[in-house]
Structure formats: C-alpha cells, structure tokens
C-alpha cells in the first residue's frame, strides 16, 4: 500500500455519495437517532476499541462513519483498522445487477441494509464478460478473444491485468473461476477451455489453465480430448479442487445430459480419466450454476419436466457430499411464478450462506438464506425494463476492504 492513497480516498467520493442516493428504496428508518447515539459513545471510547467496533459494521456504514468527523475518518483510514477489518470473518455477499447489455452499468444490492447502491466496476467493458468472485476479489475475462483478464476489488477499485491465459486463443466454450486464500491473500485463477475438434462433432479438446498470484505464472496441468462431451461456462474452485460442468453431445437419458468433473489442482490425473470419473447430476437439468458455499460445492439447477426436459418446471439447490448430491431446497411455486415468464436458463450465484437467483428477463432478485432455509425477494432494484428484449444478469461478491489483487 506504500505510495498509494487509502481506500477511503479511492471510494468515499464514489460510493459514500451513492450510499445515501437510494435511501428511498430502503426499509430502514430513524437513522439520525442512531447517528446521535453513535456520536455520544464516541466521547468515551478509546481509538483501539472504536476501531474494533467500526470494523464490524456493514461496508456501507463504514463509509458513512468516515464522514462523521475527522477522528472517525482517520480511524477508518488507518492500517490498523484494515487489520481489524480483515479479522471479521465475512461480510454478507452483495449482488451486482447489470442493467444494460451494452455497458457494464448497474446497481449493487446490500442484503444487510437491504439497499441498492450505484457503483462503477473497473476494467470490465460489457456485461457479457465471464465473471467469477472469491473473498472480495472479482475476475473478469472478455467474451470475444478471451485474452483480456483482470482481477479487481470492486469496493476499493484496485485492479490488476493478468497475462493472457495460454492454450487455445479462440475456444468455443470457456469457464472462469477464482479462489482466494484468506490467510495469505494469494489467489488462483482457472480457465477451462473447450473447442470442437475440426470435422468431428463428438470430439472436443479440453484444457485447464491455472494462474498463481504468488509465482505470477500460468500453468497448464491438463489437456485432453473428450469423446461425446464438451466443456461449458460453469466452474468453481473449492478447497483446492476445480469443479466444472460438462455437457453431453448426444444420446443417453435426460439425466445424463450434464456431468460434473472434479479436478484436484495439486495433483495430476492421467489422460482419459476425466469423463470416467465424472459425477452425475441429481436430475434432468435445464441448466446448472456452481458456487462455493463455506467450502462446500453447491449447485442451483433448473429442473426439467419429465416428458419435456428442456422445459423448466422448478429450481432446486443441492450440496455435493463426496460424490452424492444432497437436496437442500426447492423454490416454492409462488416465488417461481413471481418471476413471471422464466426461461430454462437463468443467473444464479452465491457465497457464504446466501444464494441469489435472477431471471434474465426481469430485474427481480430472489435471495435464499442457507442457514435459515428462507426465501425472500430483495428490495426492488431502482431500474425499469425499457423494452421487451432487454436482458438482466449479475453476480455476487463479498465486499472487502483489505483484499488487493
């Protein structure tokens, strides 16, 4: 951080101003009284104790705290405060919803304060880029050449461009994942590339590429030719294991159209073992979305109709235990209907104990709490659908102040 201005200087003008901009969308009230009480406590608390208290506030409240007075500004701007904040195990993940197909603009939802904030994402150019997140860091990769790859902290706006991933420059399918080590703050980024072998629809080249932030190098631990299967755009890293979905290129029952590959990044499989060791999905799926929830692989999937597996009839949530899927919840029908027209594919991401689900056709956002087993709608996003074919998508990330790409 030497030679750099503080995170408050980076963010207070951009985010601090926006924190109050959408107060009308909040369910909170009587905030002025809370601030008066906070100021009165300030008279009796020493700096070190006040630091610890402020470190447990939601991110948006920390920005507000920095505007209270010079003493509070200096506290939240200090190195010791960032150290205290880093000891807070997790912040509830936010969800960033893109509101344009052409520009990377949108709003971020804070589930603690139940508010939407207007924030700008660094580096990303359009909403159709590949996106993955872990521990406060978000990785973006362009959807065309797939040669532009960034890792950033969307709260502090710190960003780093990585070298171009090795392997096929143009692939038919790519899956992006990132995993951050909370102890060392190092991270790995993985890209799974899949491309059809020319002239043969059933043969697909698949390669795995992994970036290590400590060595600043890419490695390609696996290249293989899949027969009858291809890679896709879903992957996640969990406990040092890379999980990614593969898709059948024809034949078999609807339940066998998807499979899950688990690849240990610290060891190497022999060629040909990938598809033979694949994990079947729990039922016929229209799509699957993978995520890391407290060290467990979770999947949110669209459940297909028995007679027409391409038509979605509901949404389920499963946790992977070994090689068996355990069903955690199914979306109640009233929430499924609440989306209106629901396509067979949809956006979903999660971390910690929250899962977000969003239809591409509307800005409605549904939240599932894994601890409370509770479904609820977010506050309404301050955006309206302007034309019938307008699409919405998004991703979740943990808001952190201390993580640096």
């Amino acid at each position: 951080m030497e030679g750099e201005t503080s995170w408050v200087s980076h963010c207070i003008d951009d985010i601090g101003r926006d924190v109050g901009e959408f107060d009308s969308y909040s369910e909170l009230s009587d905030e002025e009284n809370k601030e008066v009480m906070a100021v009165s406590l300030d008279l009796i608390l020493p700096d070190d104790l006040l630091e610890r208290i402020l470190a447990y506030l939601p991110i948006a409240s920390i920005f507000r705290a920095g505007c209270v007075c010079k003493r509070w500004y200096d506290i939240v701007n200090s190195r010791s405060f960032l150290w205290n904040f880093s000891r807070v195990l997790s912040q509830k993940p936010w969800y960033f919803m893109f509101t344009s197909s052409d520009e990377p603009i949108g709003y971020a939802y804070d589930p603690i304060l139940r508010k939407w904030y207007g924030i700008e994402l660094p580096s990303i150019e359009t909403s159709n880029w590949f996106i993955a997140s872990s521990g406060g860091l978000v990785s973006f990769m362009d959807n065309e050449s797939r040669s532009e790859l960034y890792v950033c902290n969307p709260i502090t706006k710190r960003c780093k461009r990585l070298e171009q991933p090795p392997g096929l420059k143009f692939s038919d399918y790519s899956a992006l994942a990132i995993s951050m080590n909370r102890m060392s703050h190092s991270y790995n980024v993985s890209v799974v590339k899949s491309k059809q072998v020319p002239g043969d629809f059933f043969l697909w080249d698949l390669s795995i590429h992994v970036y290590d932030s400590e060595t600043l190098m890419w490695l390609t631990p696996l290249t293989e030719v899949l027969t009858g299967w291809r890679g896709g755009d879903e992957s996640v890293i969990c406990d040092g294991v890379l999980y990614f979905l593969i898709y059948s290129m024809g034949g078999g029952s609807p339940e066998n159209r998807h499979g899950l590959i688990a690849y240990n990044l610290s060891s190497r499989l022999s060629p040909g073992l990938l598809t033979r060791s694949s994990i079947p999905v729990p039922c016929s799926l229209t799509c699957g979305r993978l995520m890391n929830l407290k060290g467990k692989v979770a999947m949110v999937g669209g459940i297909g109709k028995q007679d027409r597996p391409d038509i979605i009839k509901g949404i389920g949530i499963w946790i992977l235990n070994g090689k068996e899927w355990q069903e955690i919840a199914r979306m109640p029908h009233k929430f499924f209907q609440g989306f209106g027209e629901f396509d067979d594919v949809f956006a979903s991401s999660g971390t910690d104990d929250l899962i977000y689900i969003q239809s591409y056709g509307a800005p409605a956002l549904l939240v599932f709490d894994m601890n409370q087993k509770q479904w609820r709608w977010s506050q309404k996003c301050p955006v309206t659908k302007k034309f019938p074919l307008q699409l919405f998508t998004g991703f979740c990330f943990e808001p952190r102040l201390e993580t640096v790409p």
Side-chain angles (χ1 to χ4, degrees):
M1 296 176 64
E2 291 293 332
E4 297 250 354
T5 55
S6 69
W7 62 267
V8 172
S9 300
H10 277 295
C11 306
I12 200 71
D13 291 336
D14 295 329
I15 297 180
R17 181 172 56 247
D18 291 330
V19 160
E21 187 174 349
F22 300 114
D23 279 353
S24 60
Y25 295 96
S26 170
E27 293 182 346
L28 298 181
S29 61
D30 202 24
E31 289 199 3
E32 292 182 1
N33 291 337
K34 294 180 183 178
E35 291 178 4
V36 170
M37 182 178 294
V39 172
S40 63
L41 290 174
D42 174 51
L43 300 177
I44 60 175
L45 292 177
D47 283 358
D48 59 341
L49 184 54
L50 185 57
E51 270 187 11
R52 295 182 185 181
I53 293 173
L54 294 179
Y56 280 88
L57 289 175
I59 288 284
S61 299
I62 291 175
F63 284 109
R64 285 199 185 97
C67 299
V68 169
C69 62
K70 184 179 185 303
R71 180 192 178 199
W72 284 32
Y73 177 90
D74 290 340
I75 285 176
V76 299
N77 193 33
S78 67
R79 292 177 182 273
S80 57
F81 176 79
L82 287 182
W83 183 86
N84 277 309
F85 182 84
S86 69
R87 296 173 65 86
V88 178
L89 291 180
S90 67
Q91 292 271 333
K92 292 289 185 183
W94 287 13
Y95 188 86
F96 185 90
M97 183 183 296
F98 292 102
T99 56
S100 171
S101 301
D102 301 321
E103 300 178 89
I105 58 175
Y107 298 97
Y109 178 68
D110 177 352
I112 298 179
L113 300 181
R114 292 178 61 80
K115 289 184 177 181
W116 291 91
Y117 307 125
I119 66 174
E120 294 182 5
L121 298 175
S123 303
I124 185 172
E125 295 180 8
T126 64
S127 61
N128 71 343
W129 280 32
F130 296 94
I131 302 172
S133 69
S134 174
L137 295 179
V138 179
S139 181
F140 303 116
M141 183 173 71
D142 76 292
N143 197 21
E144 298 203 4
S145 68
R146 302 177 191 185
S147 59
E148 291 187 58
L149 206 160
Y150 300 88
V151 175
C152 76
N153 182 328
I155 296 296
T156 65
K157 304 295 192 295
R158 294 173 184 257
C159 191
K160 177 180 180 179
R161 181 169 181 172
L162 305 186
E163 289 185 13
Q164 180 177 335
L168 299 167
K169 185 164 185 180
F170 297 100
S171 56
D172 296 318
Y173 297 93
S174 296
L176 176 69
I178 183 173
S179 177
M180 194 204 76
N181 186 310
R182 291 185 181 274
M183 298 297 293
S184 65
H185 286 188
S186 62
Y187 58 88
N188 293 115
V189 177
S190 67
V191 180
V192 181
K193 297 183 178 182
S194 184
K195 184 176 179 60
Q196 181 186 348
V197 173
D200 195 326
F201 182 72
F202 287 94
L203 296 181
W204 288 75
D205 287 316
L206 184 136
S207 56
I208 297 175
H209 312 277
V210 182
Y211 176 84
D212 187 330
S213 67
E214 292 185 324
T215 64
L216 305 179
M217 293 177 59
W218 285 94
L219 294 177
T220 303
L222 182 88
T223 58
E224 186 170 320
V225 177
L226 303 185
T227 302
W229 296 86
R230 65 163 176 82
D233 56 7
E234 278 296 316
S235 67
V236 67
I237 300 173
C238 186
D239 227 6
V241 178
L242 170 63
Y243 297 86
F244 58 95
L245 287 176
I246 56 174
Y247 303 82
S248 173
M249 299 310 299
S253 63
E255 291 81 7
N256 296 327
R257 293 189 309 162
H258 298 76
L260 181 72
I261 298 294
Y263 181 78
N264 192 324
L265 294 175
S266 62
S267 63
R268 299 193 178 189
L269 289 173
S270 300
L273 288 181
L274 279 186
T275 53
R276 279 185 280 168
S277 60
S278 67
I279 301 169
V281 296
C283 63
S284 175
L285 298 179
T286 62
C287 70
R289 305 292 180 231
L290 300 176
M291 54 203 74
N292 182 340
L293 301 182
K294 292 185 174 178
K296 288 279 191 179
V297 176
M299 180 171 66
V300 178
I303 303 171
K305 292 184 177 180
Q306 191 165 5
D307 56 338
R308 299 185 64 188
D310 291 328
I311 305 298
I312 190 170
K313 70 173 184 179
I315 292 178
I317 300 174
W318 297 269
I319 292 288
L320 185 66
N321 290 319
K323 291 192 174 184
E324 300 292 330
W325 292 100
Q326 175 190 354
E327 185 172 315
I328 301 301
R330 291 206 181 192
M331 184 186 294
H333 193 60
K334 66 177 181 179
F335 290 107
F336 186 74
Q337 287 183 314
F339 281 104
E341 185 177 348
F342 207 101
D343 293 329
D344 58 345
V345 293
F346 53 87
S348 181
S349 60
T351 190
D352 196 24
D353 55 9
L354 291 187
I355 294 176
Y356 293 96
I357 300 175
Q358 178 189 0
S359 166
Y360 290 133
L365 182 65
L366 187 63
V367 187
F368 179 71
D369 189 307
M370 290 284 288
N371 286 338
Q372 301 178 9
K373 300 295 186 288
Q374 181 184 54
W375 301 86
R376 69 175 181 180
W377 296 105
S378 72
Q379 288 292 97
K380 184 179 179 182
C381 183
V383 67
T384 56
K385 189 168 183 174
K386 298 179 181 179
F387 52 90
L389 296 181
Q390 183 177 358
L391 298 179
F392 300 89
T393 187
F395 65 95
C396 82
F397 66 95
E398 186 182 342
R400 303 296 301 182
L401 301 175
E402 78 283 7
T403 54
V404 179

